[in-house]
Amino acid sequence: MSRDTDPARIGVGLSELLKRGDVAALGQLPQYDVILRSGAGGLGPVVPEAIRSFFRNTDPDAIAALAEIAKDKALSDGLRHAAAHSLAWMHTRESVPHLAALLDDESPELKQSAVIGLSFFANGVGVQSEDGPSMRYLNEAKPSEFSSSETAKYLGFDEERSDEFVAFWRDWWNQHRLDFPTN
């Protein structure tokens, strides 16, 4: 269905593949962005929501693909925000450099996702799984070498103190960037 010519069928096919964590489906998104922007066949919100709520493939290729989508300013805000949100909720060690890069994005939503992802990683919060509504993952915290009383104060995100939160995590990244070698 994701390779059909009908926008509605494409949306259903892509969203189902994304819900299953299909990395190749992420690679198809840029070519369908125009259709997503137009909302043809109700496609507009369906695909970003599949990424935002369900895509939790922590494979390094998946992380890299999400990061590319999140930083590509030529893509729709819906796709970019969904990709950043997915990275934030996975917050694996591999995602940290990508999340840190989003701290300098113009979009407040991307900065918020970056802060949440970095804070959850540093404080050992478990990876959000498909049991999202039960929030069981919050009880699956693991000790983290990066956790401190300071990182605990900046866990999550406070919109009223957004500049402070972004500044804290930007400083944290600058102190720890060598702990996260990139290829």
Side-chain angles (χ1 to χ4, degrees):
M1 290 178 73
S2 68
R3 297 177 197 269
D4 201 287
T5 56
D6 176 51
R9 292 177 63 83
I10 293 168
V12 170
L14 283 174
S15 63
E16 290 303 314
L17 289 170
L18 292 165
K19 287 177 184 178
R20 294 182 177 103
D22 189 296
V23 179
L26 285 175
Q28 289 181 270
L29 295 179
Q31 75 187 52
Y32 291 116
D33 191 50
V34 172
I35 296 170
L36 291 169
R37 287 178 197 247
S38 73
L43 187 61
V46 173
V47 171
E49 187 56 36
I51 298 168
R52 174 182 301 280
S53 297
F54 298 101
F55 195 93
R56 300 295 183 265
N57 181 344
T58 59
D59 179 83
D61 290 336
I63 298 292
L66 286 170
E68 286 299 314
I69 292 168
K71 74 178 185 180
D72 188 345
K73 293 181 180 181
L75 296 177
S76 65
D77 287 345
L79 280 180
R80 292 183 69 217
H81 295 168
H85 187 87
S86 181
L87 283 172
W89 286 106
M90 287 189 283
H91 55 272
T92 62
R93 185 175 194 88
E94 294 79 16
S95 68
V96 168
H98 303 295
L99 289 166
L102 296 177
L103 290 170
D104 293 321
D105 197 276
E106 297 167 3
S107 167
E109 291 86 358
L110 293 179
K111 287 180 184 177
Q112 179 178 351
S113 289
V115 165
I116 289 169
L118 292 170
S119 72
F120 281 14
F121 172 81
N123 287 291
V125 175
V127 173
Q128 182 194 34
S129 58
E130 287 139 17
D131 70 334
S134 74
M135 296 187 166
R136 186 180 73 209
Y137 57 91
L138 292 175
N139 293 322
E140 296 174 358
K142 296 183 171 101
S144 168
E145 65 185 283
F146 301 103
S147 182
S148 69
S149 60
E150 284 298 301
T151 62
K153 287 195 299 192
Y154 291 96
L155 178 62
F157 189 77
D158 183 344
E159 281 190 47
E160 293 177 9
R161 298 171 40 211
S162 62
D163 290 342
E164 180 184 344
F165 272 65
V166 170
F168 175 84
W169 289 104
R170 190 176 285 128
D171 289 345
W172 180 90
W173 172 244
N174 287 330
Q175 292 171 18
H176 296 285
R177 72 178 45 229
L178 295 177
D179 296 324
F180 299 90
T182 56
N183 296 336

